[in-house]
Amino acid sequence: MSRAIKIAPSILAADFSKLGEEVAAIDRAGADYVHLDIMDGHFVPNISFGPSVIKSLRPHTDKIFDVHLMISPVDPFIDAFVEAGADIITFHPEAGAHGHRTAQAIRAAGCKVGLSINPGTPVEAVEPLFDDLDLVLVMTVNPGFGGQRFIESQLSKIETLRTWIDRSGRDIDLEVDGGINFDTAALAIGAGADVLVAGTATFDGGPEAYAANIEKLRAP
Ligand code: DX5
Ligand code: ZN
């Protein structure tokens, strides 16, 4: 059985001087989700952008806004991201002591819930929250920066999560983030992923190349 593969360009690799145009361009080029990387300089060693940027991008596309929070704490900011237009909010279990409460708060605010595991986090960290999730995000780089190298040792986590998800019979996205290119996309899909985040690989070559990049990532 071949499953449908969704592509989620990370706008971290876009031209920040014209983000609205960039988002409209990846929409036209066939992106499924828009992946929005939120970094606070505390949970990860980099700062990106916040809810006001997401809000300003919302009129430029109807695609799903896939918000990846690399921030700690999470809970005080959930409402701001929901109001800005998030559809899915993904957080890291290390961001706070009460991940289940965070998941409930995201759901209560009207968003889908994602949990992300770092390369150093065991796949078992997903288990306690599994029933409350719509998406599991396997990081294949250490979060904080685009353009890093794919860590192949994480593929076994994707395989494990694919069996858990299939066994559950639930419609849970299995997303992979970090170092996805045409070679590693094939590895991630082979391991069972069905949503690929791609920053560098999507935006390489400028707007004329986006559609071809996205199609090649979808069927590497
Ligand atoms: C890393 C971010 C990723 C990043 C991916 O912390 O979560 O989404 O933008 O960038 P590439 O695709 O360039 O590895
Ligand atoms: Zn991300």
Side-chain angles (χ1 to χ4, degrees):
M1 178 198 80
S2 75
R3 69 179 60 84
I5 305 300
K6 296 179 189 137
I7 304 299
S10 163
I11 64 160
L12 207 56
D15 182 340
F16 271 34
S17 71
K18 45 181 179 186
L19 272 185
E21 287 171 42
E22 291 277 68
V23 165
I26 54 168
D27 176 327
R28 283 194 304 275
D32 298 281
Y33 296 172
V34 178
H35 187 81
L36 300 152
D37 286 305
I38 310 302
M39 304 176 179
D40 66 354
H42 162 72
F43 184 71
V44 288
N46 196 7
I47 296 174
S48 58
F49 52 84
S52 59
V53 170
I54 295 179
K55 189 174 184 187
S56 72
L57 294 174
R58 193 62 280 192
H60 293 267
T61 179
D62 293 326
K63 298 279 166 83
I64 288 171
F65 271 9
D66 171 30
V67 176
H68 178 192
L69 296 182
M70 290 162 275
I71 66 173
S72 173
V74 171
D75 295 15
F77 300 100
I78 291 170
D79 286 345
F81 285 104
V82 174
E83 282 160 23
D87 297 295
I88 306 168
I89 295 182
T90 296
F91 66 100
H92 286 252
E94 298 86 353
H98 305 288
H100 189 267
R101 176 182 293 154
T102 300
Q104 285 183 310
I106 293 169
R107 171 117 27 234
C111 272
K112 291 192 170 183
V113 182
L115 191 72
S116 178
I117 48 173
N118 284 331
T121 302
V123 69
E124 286 75 20
V126 174
E127 251 177 331
L129 292 187
F130 190 77
D131 290 348
D132 302 283
L133 300 178
D134 303 293
L135 179 150
V136 181
L137 172 51
V138 176
M139 292 301 304
T140 41
V141 299
N142 287 295
F145 303 93
Q148 303 182 80
R149 202 184 147 88
F150 186 88
I151 303 171
E152 287 201 19
S153 60
Q154 304 306 302
L155 288 167
S156 63
K157 290 185 195 171
I158 302 171
E159 290 168 0
T160 300
L161 285 161
R162 172 47 59 203
T163 64
W164 292 2
I165 291 169
D166 287 351
R167 201 188 310 144
S168 77
R170 292 181 50 229
D171 185 17
I172 300 175
D173 282 342
L174 179 46
E175 185 175 52
V176 179
D177 185 4
I180 292 289
N181 56 37
F182 304 132
D183 297 325
T184 57
L187 297 176
I189 292 167
D194 57 5
V195 185
L196 305 182
V197 175
T200 309
T202 299
F203 288 94
D204 187 36
E208 300 75 39
Y210 297 168
N213 290 344
I214 287 170
E215 284 326 300
K216 197 160 172 201
L217 287 166
R218 203 190 299 284

